[in-house]
Amino acid sequence: MSALLYLFGTRIKNMLKDMKRHPSKLILVLFYIALFVVVLVAGGRSTLEPGETYRPVAELYALAFALYGAMYLMTAFHGIASGATFFTMADVNLVFPSPIKPRRILLYGLVRQLGTSLLVGFFLLFQYGWLSNTYGITPGHLVAIVIGYAIASFCASISAMLIYTCTSGKPGAQKLVKRVLMAVAILV
């Protein structure tokens, strides 16, 4: 496992070195951080008029469920054709031939995929302003929404890999899974 931790550490170190070599990337990261601070500060102020109340939080639950469900279904549907791509070519060249157990390599790929999903989920944090003003949520609630997104994304990646494994080379099974996923999407 230490080899995979070394690989993670090296990736992070190289990313930081890349920011040092390309100041525009560092400026972009600082810009995103500044935007997030503005969203937190501005979103914490209530714009409700006297006598107004927040919208029912059940709507927010429905929105979050729709986001999680749509993302899960799209990822699972993608798994029919190509599976979940966890590994880069560098991983194939460096990690696969190494004397690391296959389960640990798979865990490494799943954790990397989760990191990518959280990077996409990071932009959910910028929704704090209108969510706070509309539903009265706190930053902790927003973090819970992002964690839910990460869990749904992780489960979708596992499902995509499982679907691809079970239906690869079986056109009848692929059609059945497509129909089931479409039926679930229509029902939702």
Side-chain angles (χ1 to χ4, degrees):
M1 192 64 153
S2 63
L4 295 177
L5 292 175
Y6 170 77
L7 189 58
F8 272 127
T10 303
R11 284 184 185 272
I12 291 171
K13 185 174 68 174
N14 287 341
M15 183 180 66
L16 294 174
K17 284 181 180 178
D18 194 42
M19 279 191 218
K20 184 180 175 185
R21 281 186 232 123
H22 301 100
S24 60
K25 291 181 181 181
L26 179 62
I27 291 170
L28 183 64
V29 168
L30 293 175
F31 178 71
Y32 281 141
I33 291 170
L35 278 178
F36 184 65
V37 169
V38 168
V39 166
L40 278 180
V41 170
R45 298 183 189 143
S46 178
T47 59
L48 289 178
E49 298 292 327
E52 282 186 311
T53 59
Y54 291 115
R55 295 188 59 89
V57 81
E59 288 179 6
L60 180 61
Y61 296 151
L63 286 171
F65 177 75
L67 172 70
Y68 301 158
M71 187 269 317
Y72 185 92
L73 287 172
M74 285 188 295
T75 303
F77 196 84
H78 179 70
I80 295 169
S82 64
T85 53
F86 295 133
F87 302 104
T88 62
M89 202 60 188
D91 294 333
V92 172
N93 290 332
L94 296 173
V95 177
F96 287 3
S98 67
I100 300 173
K101 295 178 183 176
R103 286 186 184 181
R104 290 190 177 173
I105 292 173
L106 181 60
L107 178 66
Y108 164 76
L110 289 171
V111 169
R112 280 202 49 224
Q113 180 69 24
L114 181 63
T116 303
S117 299
L118 278 177
L119 186 63
V120 172
F122 169 75
F123 290 98
L124 290 173
L125 296 174
F126 288 99
Q127 306 304 314
Y128 176 69
W130 76 270
L131 288 173
S132 175
N133 289 327
T134 307
Y135 298 104
I137 68 166
T138 63
H141 293 114
L142 188 63
V143 169
I145 290 171
V146 172
I147 289 172
Y149 175 82
I151 291 170
S153 177
F154 186 75
C155 291
S157 296
I158 291 174
S159 296
M161 184 175 54
L162 180 66
I163 288 170
Y164 181 73
T165 302
C166 293
T167 63
S168 180
K170 301 174 187 171
Q174 288 178 344
K175 286 181 183 178
L176 177 66
V177 171
K178 281 182 185 180
R179 288 180 183 153
V180 168
L181 288 175
M182 286 185 187
V184 168
I186 289 170
L187 286 174
V188 171

